Amino acid sequence: MCSRTVIIGMDEPYVQGILQRAFGKYSPLIKVQAADDNANDLSDLLMHWREYETIDWTSVHRSSTIFSNAYCFRKGLIRKAQMAFNIKMYTAKHPTSILCTHVPETWIFELDDVEYLDEALMECFEVEQGMQANTGVSDSRLRQQFILKPSLTARGAGIYVFDTRERLQELLENEFASDDEDDDGDDDGDDDSGGLAQGQAVSQIREWVIQRYINRPLLLPAHQNRKFHIRVYVLAFGDLSIYVYRHMLALFAPRPYAEATNLDDQTAHLTNTCLQTHSSTFVESSAVSLFWSLDLPKPKLDRIFDQICQILGETFAAVSSESTSFQTWANCMEQFGFDFLVDEECNAMLLEANAYPDFKQTGEELKFVVEGFMEASVAMAAKEFLLKDCVTEDIEKSADNACRDLVEVFTHKNKRQW
């Protein structure tokens, strides 16, 4: 009988428990061992499913028989500036790509000190021109607005909306002042981990992206006209196939969107659930909904989903063509969380990609979405790698059933795209 050991070591109990139950469906063929257990005999070890920093990359790199739940090099996707650069290079070669019209205009913004703001803005002069054009324009829908995002942070940390030079300078001064006392300047953040944790000083990074702010988002009266974004779970497998999980989520801001009249009001502009959970007024069912349950006609939902699939297919075509910042190994897989905003014309716009997505923000009521995605990911690993040499008809049938909601949108084998 086949016997395979998988070491699971996720910091979040919410995720650890779901993974253990998903792998448990393949017991006794697959044995699960917690990362903190005392290891006796790991001769049958076949997979690490752990936090990025604790994966034994040496064994993964040297052995084609050790599988990993992450790719070692993927900053070309998860660092906002790197992804923006890769998409820019790709669209220059593919001017008819959907990425030309479904990614907000993005500028890489590097700054070591606010004193050099003039020089930094020369590298993204369209932003400077846009802010100047706002002079005398009182209608917020007609003003050119931008959003500033640190290249590495996640979970809504350090994100601000602005439309004037004065506002931008004030935001940057506050960020640079936040850690002047303890910034040693030794860490340039040039790694492939999931980025800085929420609460770390983003002024250590010195690298941002500025995106043209979508100030006319799709608003739904059934959800009190609150701004929302779509969270899409994506499985990247081997070298390289990309699958979109059909059961997407809609994450809502806590307050109605007021045409961006107050850019400081993050409760109306930012839709990250993790920014809301600390509030005494937080209601999970109001903050997170199923995409397919939104109050939109089925054809519009289908159109948005088809756009997302096409965008993701071409996004991975773009980043995987740049091997210096995104490398795929046949014995690796990874789960990503992609965020999309839908504008008032029902166009899906790609915002960013996240490694090790915060599954817990899905909450308890819609936990089955995460469970389904985990079961599909584990089934793919079991069928294609862990039990590949001893797959029975029952195992294959069970795995195929678990993967039924994974939609393939890209593969390197034949460059197939959605």
Side-chain angles (χ1 to χ4, degrees), residues 48 139 151 165 211 241 276 281 304 344 400 406 413:
H48 296 275
D139 187 344
S151 186
R165 164 68 178 267
Q211 286 185 328
S241 296
Q276 307 175 36
T281 60
I304 292 170
E344 62 183 4
D400 288 343
L406 290 179
K413 294 177 182 178

Side-chain angles (χ1 to χ4, degrees), residues 324-350:
T324 57
S325 61
F326 189 92
Q327 296 180 17
T328 56
W329 297 347
N331 57 330
C332 295
M333 60 179 280
E334 187 157 359
Q335 297 170 322
F336 296 99
F338 281 78
D339 293 334
F340 288 81
L341 191 74
V342 181
D343 68 17
E344 62 183 4
E345 301 297 329
C346 278
N347 295 308
M349 306 293 288
L350 173 62

Side-chain angles (χ1 to χ4, degrees), residues 223-224 226-229 251-257 266-272 276 286-287:
H223 290 274
Q224 299 79 49
R226 291 175 295 149
K227 182 181 173 183
F228 69 94
H229 80 265
L251 281 64
F252 289 83
R255 292 186 56 194
Y257 184 76
Q266 293 194 334
T267 62
H269 289 280
L270 300 188
T271 53
N272 305 71
Q276 307 175 36
S286 177

Side-chain angles (χ1 to χ4, degrees), residues 287-406:
V288 187
S289 298
L290 295 172
F291 167 77
W292 294 104
S293 297
L294 293 178
D295 188 23
L296 284 171
K298 180 65 163 51
K300 285 191 176 181
L301 293 173
D302 288 338
R303 177 174 178 266
I304 292 170
F305 180 72
D306 288 347
Q307 287 180 355
I308 287 173
C309 288
Q310 187 176 352
I311 292 165
L312 288 170
E314 295 209 30
T315 296
F316 277 93
V319 299
S320 62
S321 65
E322 300 293 333
S323 59
T324 57
S325 61
F326 189 92
Q327 296 180 17
T328 56
W329 297 347
N331 57 330
C332 295
M333 60 179 280
E334 187 157 359
Q335 297 170 322
F336 296 99
F338 281 78
D339 293 334
F340 288 81
L341 191 74
V342 181
D343 68 17
E344 62 183 4
E345 301 297 329
C346 278
N347 295 308
M349 306 293 288
L350 173 62
L351 299 181
E352 62 184 55
N354 299 279
Y356 285 82
D358 183 11
F359 290 112
K360 191 177 181 181
Q361 72 175 323
T362 303
E364 292 296 326
E365 294 183 19
L366 299 181
K367 191 175 184 177
F368 67 88
V369 174
V370 178
E371 291 173 333
F373 181 53
M374 286 293 183
E375 289 177 6
S377 302
V378 168
M380 186 72 72
K383 181 177 68 170
E384 298 296 334
F385 193 87
L386 300 175
L387 302 176
K388 189 173 183 177
D389 57 350
C390 55
V391 172
T392 65
E393 184 176 343
D394 288 342
I395 290 175
E396 186 168 12
K397 184 177 180 180
S398 176
D400 288 343
N401 183 61
C403 294
R404 66 187 182 280
D405 290 319
L406 290 179

Side-chain angles (χ1 to χ4, degrees), residues 79-82 108-112 148-153 176 188-190 202-210:
R79 284 185 64 164
K80 299 178 184 67
Q82 292 267 358
I108 299 173
F109 182 69
E110 297 179 340
L111 186 65
D112 291 324
L148 178 72
K149 302 178 181 180
S151 186
L152 276 175
T153 60
F176 277 89
D188 65 359
D190 192 19
V202 296
S203 57
Q204 293 179 357
I205 303 305
R206 309 307 199 222
E207 181 183 66
W208 291 264
V209 294
I210 296 177

Side-chain angles (χ1 to χ4, degrees), residues 9 39 56 71 99 110 121 124 126 156 159 194 212 243 273 334 337:
D56 183 358
Y71 294 101
L99 299 182
E110 297 179 340
L121 284 174
C124 43
E126 296 95 339
I159 297 178
R212 193 172 293 281
Y243 302 89
T273 307
E334 187 157 359

Side-chain angles (χ1 to χ4, degrees), residues 162-180:
F162 66 94
D163 62 0
T164 66
R165 164 68 178 267
E166 293 73 24
R167 168 68 174 163
L168 174 60
Q169 183 164 338
E170 178 187 6
L171 293 170
L172 291 170
E173 287 174 347
N174 291 339
E175 289 299 334
F176 277 89
S178 67
D179 69 335
D180 276 349

